[in-house]
Amino acid sequence: MNQPLATLLTQVYELEGLLLVVDKHGDDTPAVVYDRIRQISAELAESAALLAPKPEVTPIPEPIPEPAPEPEPVPEPVEPVYGPPSQMSPAEPIEPEPEPEPEPEPLSEPAPEPEPQDVPADSVRPKTTQVEQDPLRVDEKLQRTLSKNLRSALTLNDRFRFRRELFGGSDAEMNATLDTVERMAGYTEAEQYLLDNLGWNPESEEVIEFLTIVKRHFS
């Protein structure tokens, strides 16, 4: 065992014994024991410092000097070579050649005018359209055709409005009434049925419009 380690163990054992004395006697421990404890504590730090291995010091290598750059070679002077003087005369300015003028395009002859043709007198008369020949307008003929079918005579807005205002929102009741009116002989019978049996108000706007459609159906 090396000497620093043996000294450190001896100090530790002695410090342990002194601490046991202090633990056993308490306040009756002599002051010399406390002095020895402080002394051994200081010696322990020195012994521990001797026990630790010394770090190896790695020598720092000296920097290697970089080689000095080689001087660039100096180009040798080139002697000019003199030859015989040129036999050419100074260049004269070259004039640009004139561009040829474009030839005029030949004039096109005017197209001959068409000869007038004889038109029949009947073809000059304005044609009379079918609408002008028929005293009834197209919308009136369409309305008369639709009015023969009471269901088709009602527009989509009419069906919503009449169903809400006259039939209490019931689509089945409105369809049943339309079927009943279509089977009647004339407008008088239909009007009496709608006003008396259904109890409609003859002054209501919806009733007046509905009766107008029914009257057109029987006309």
Side-chain angles (χ1 to χ4, degrees):
M1 182 181 296
N2 56 11
Q3 185 63 29
L5 181 59
T7 303
L8 184 62
L9 288 174
T10 302
Q11 293 172 343
V12 170
Y13 292 151
E14 185 178 358
L15 180 61
E16 182 180 3
L18 293 174
L19 292 176
L20 291 175
V21 172
V22 174
D23 183 52
K24 182 178 181 180
H25 294 281
D27 295 339
D28 297 335
T29 303
V32 65
V33 176
Y34 290 106
D35 295 339
R36 183 56 183 165
I37 290 175
R38 285 191 290 270
Q39 183 180 1
I40 294 176
S41 299
E43 293 175 356
L44 279 174
E46 297 177 358
S47 299
L50 296 175
L51 183 63
K54 296 181 180 180
E56 297 180 0
V57 179
T58 304
I60 300 175
E62 297 181 358
I64 301 174
E66 296 181 358
E70 297 180 359
E72 296 181 0
V74 180
E76 297 180 357
V78 179
E79 296 181 358
V81 179
Y82 298 98
S86 176
Q87 301 297 328
M88 297 180 61
S89 59
E92 297 180 357
I94 302 175
E95 296 181 359
E97 297 181 358
E99 297 181 359
E101 297 182 358
E103 298 180 0
E105 298 180 358
L107 299 177
S108 59
E109 297 181 359
E113 297 181 358
E115 297 180 0
Q117 300 178 359
D118 296 335
V119 181
D122 295 339
S123 61
V124 182
R125 296 177 183 176
K127 295 182 180 181
T128 306
T129 60
Q130 185 67 20
V131 178
E132 293 177 355
Q133 295 177 0
D134 196 344
L136 293 177
R137 296 184 305 176
V138 177
D139 55 347
E140 291 179 351
K141 292 180 64 178
L142 179 61
Q143 189 63 35
R144 285 191 178 186
T145 304
L146 294 178
S147 63
K148 298 303 179 182
N149 185 354
L150 193 54
R151 292 175 181 270
S152 301
L154 299 178
T155 63
L156 185 60
N157 292 333
D158 291 339
R159 293 184 64 87
F160 280 114
R161 187 159 55 95
F162 292 152
R163 181 178 59 189
R164 183 182 66 251
E165 301 295 337
L166 302 179
F167 299 98
S170 175
D171 193 61
E173 183 177 350
M174 182 177 65
N175 291 333
T177 302
L178 293 175
D179 294 339
T180 303
V181 171
E182 284 186 343
R183 289 193 297 268
M184 292 181 178
Y187 172 72
T188 303
E189 183 182 0
E191 182 183 16
Q192 183 178 1
Y193 169 76
L194 296 174
L195 296 180
D196 296 343
N197 293 15
L198 300 184
W200 285 0
N201 182 12
E203 297 181 358
S204 173
E205 180 180 356
E206 287 76 14
V207 173
I208 294 174
E209 293 183 8
F210 191 87
L211 291 176
T212 302
I213 297 174
V214 173
K215 186 175 182 180
R216 189 183 302 119
H217 171 71
F218 289 104
S219 60

